[in-house]
Amino acid sequence: MRAIAVSAFRADPALVEMPKPEPEAGEVRVRIEYAALNPCDWQAAQGSLDDGLAPRVFPLVVGVDFAGRVDMIGSGGNRFRVGDQVFGRTAGPASGAGTYCDYVSVPQDSAITLVPDGLPLRTAAALPSAGMAAAEILEIAVLRGHESLLVIGAAGGVGSYLTQLASARDVRVLAAVRGDERKRMAALGATVTIDTTDRPLEAAVRETCPDGVDALVDLVSTTPDAFAARAALVRGGGIALTTRGVATGAALPADVTGIDFRLEPTPVLLDVLAEGVAEGVLRVPIDIELPLEKAPQALDRNRTGGARGKTVIVL
Ligand SMILES: NC(=O)c1ccc[n+]([C@@H]2O[C@H](COP(=O)([O-])OP(=O)(O)OC[C@H]3O[C@@H](n4cnc5c(N)ncnc54)[C@H](OP(=O)(O)O)[C@@H]3O)[C@@H](O)[C@H]2O)c1
């Protein structure tokens, strides 16, 4: 099968031929039709997510999100049948299950579920990682209607979903982006869009929320100091959440709760997201669609920023 893989951490991702994975007991093998790009794909390829504990599997096939059809079932009980349309998120390249490739084998009880009738596979592929992260973050932040949520990096995958899910609950979303994204973010439900290349973040936030925001979701800061500076915009008693693992060691205001978010994928969450799309609550903002052989360039581009919604890879 074709795959985009790296031969070692920090090597350039390249198109290679690999054997098809055989499904083990309790697994399904999926013929992937679409994969979606997430920053964790290039982060894993460069070794940033390596904890030194999980086995390292090279060539490491990049990618975690997928949509396609079940083409083979491993031995034992299984809730899927050959031919089912499915989508999901694998446990990641360290598990030997990347998704920028023609086939992947995953446990039938992992984060994989049926694609409901009417949901195109390419749309389903763009949901798992960013959609589940947005949904879980919203649960953790326990925001009620009219409370305020500042999202830094709101124009990308997680931010585009989070803005929609939060505004559907009447949360006031302050979307911090780089560039003039007012029209796009307003269409996703943002109350205010702040172009941080045009004006200082703090002044813009204080204009709308003089006492600070109820919650901060920082998708961007890569150091505890940068995160702490943004958490200073949260009111006393509020929360400051990072997806970049920089809350530990950050000097946050004493009465602001810092959270290091870690995604916990589940099939139930995938069903909830698919339902949200079916009901029209959630739009799937696919920005770029490209063939597998162009995936290395797309990874490079994402590393330098500029994401506007999701990039989908066609197998
Ligand atoms: N911990 C977890 O379990 C978990 C789960 C999901 C995601 N994440 C992480 O969360 C981060 C975001 O994920 P994603 O899928 O949303 O990534 P993405 O789709 O690549 O979007 C990132 C967005 O941030 C913007 N950005 C970068 N610097 C900015 C700044 N200073 N001010 C405003 N916007 C800025 C980028 O656009 P511009 O460059 O044009 O500004 C882009 O729109 C990634 O690092 C990802 O690995 C972690």
Side-chain angles (χ1 to χ4, degrees):
M1 68 169 185
R2 301 167 305 155
I4 299 292
V6 291
S7 54
F9 289 140
R10 286 176 291 284
D12 288 334
L15 186 61
V16 295
E17 276 297 321
M18 292 181 64
K20 279 187 198 174
E22 292 299 320
E24 293 185 2
E27 288 190 337
V28 289
R29 186 172 73 189
V30 179
R31 168 67 175 100
I32 298 175
E33 294 186 24
Y34 296 93
L37 187 151
N38 293 286
C40 67
D41 300 343
W42 54 261
Q43 291 162 359
Q46 71 183 24
S48 313
L49 307 180
D50 181 41
D51 59 8
L53 303 171
R56 298 163 178 176
V57 184
F58 293 108
L60 179 150
V61 180
V62 181
V64 289
D65 286 354
F66 66 90
R69 282 167 213 273
V70 172
D71 100 307
M72 201 173 177
I73 306 267
S75 61
N78 208 296
R79 64 193 172 107
F80 297 103
R81 282 186 285 190
V82 169
D84 281 347
Q85 292 199 31
V86 291
F87 75 114
R89 184 189 200 272
T90 71
S95 68
T99 60
Y100 291 14
C101 59
D102 290 313
Y103 295 88
V104 69
S105 286
V106 294
Q108 60 98 23
D109 57 358
S110 65
I112 171 172
T113 196
L114 292 172
V115 176
D117 286 346
L119 183 65
L121 280 177
R122 70 189 279 276
T123 309
L127 279 170
S129 294
M132 286 194 286
E136 282 185 352
I137 287 170
L138 200 54
E139 289 312 313
I140 291 169
V142 285
L143 288 162
R144 286 175 290 274
H146 308 300
E147 289 189 322
S148 52
L149 168 67
L150 171 61
V151 184
I152 316 237
V158 177
S160 293
Y161 288 127
L162 183 57
T163 300
Q164 295 182 73
L165 294 174
S167 70
R169 289 193 189 180
D170 285 331
V171 172
R172 289 183 300 141
V173 178
L174 289 75
V177 299
R178 293 192 293 194
D180 184 3
E181 297 294 323
R182 269 173 304 179
K183 212 166 144 194
R184 186 172 171 276
M185 295 314 300
L188 295 175
T191 310
V192 176
T193 301
I194 302 163
D195 176 359
T196 56
T197 64
D198 184 47
R199 59 185 307 211
L201 179 66
E202 174 162 6
V205 170
R206 297 277 177 209
E207 211 170 78
T208 309
C209 299
D211 299 329
V213 292
D214 296 301
L216 160 74
V217 172
D218 188 342
L219 303 165
V220 164
S221 296
T222 52
T223 64
D225 284 351
F227 177 58
R230 284 161 171 160
L233 298 169
V234 178
R235 65 156 172 83
I239 75 155
L241 178 149
T242 164
T243 58
R244 312 290 296 258
V246 289
T248 309
L252 303 182
D255 48 0
V256 169
T257 306
I259 298 171
D260 265 321
F261 173 77
R262 296 286 309 167
L263 174 64
E264 292 187 7
T266 70
V268 174
L269 259 183
L270 293 171
D271 290 334
V272 169
L273 291 168
E275 208 174 294
V277 178
E279 288 170 357
V281 176
L282 194 60
R283 275 178 28 213
V284 176
I286 296 176
D287 182 32
I288 302 169
E289 183 171 321
L290 39 77
L292 182 66
E293 53 274 22
K294 295 268 174 64
Q297 291 96 305
L299 286 164
D300 251 0
R301 207 176 314 129
N302 182 263
R303 190 185 288 115
T304 58
R308 299 289 175 265
K310 298 296 300 175
T311 293
V312 166
I313 295 153
V314 187
L315 273 307

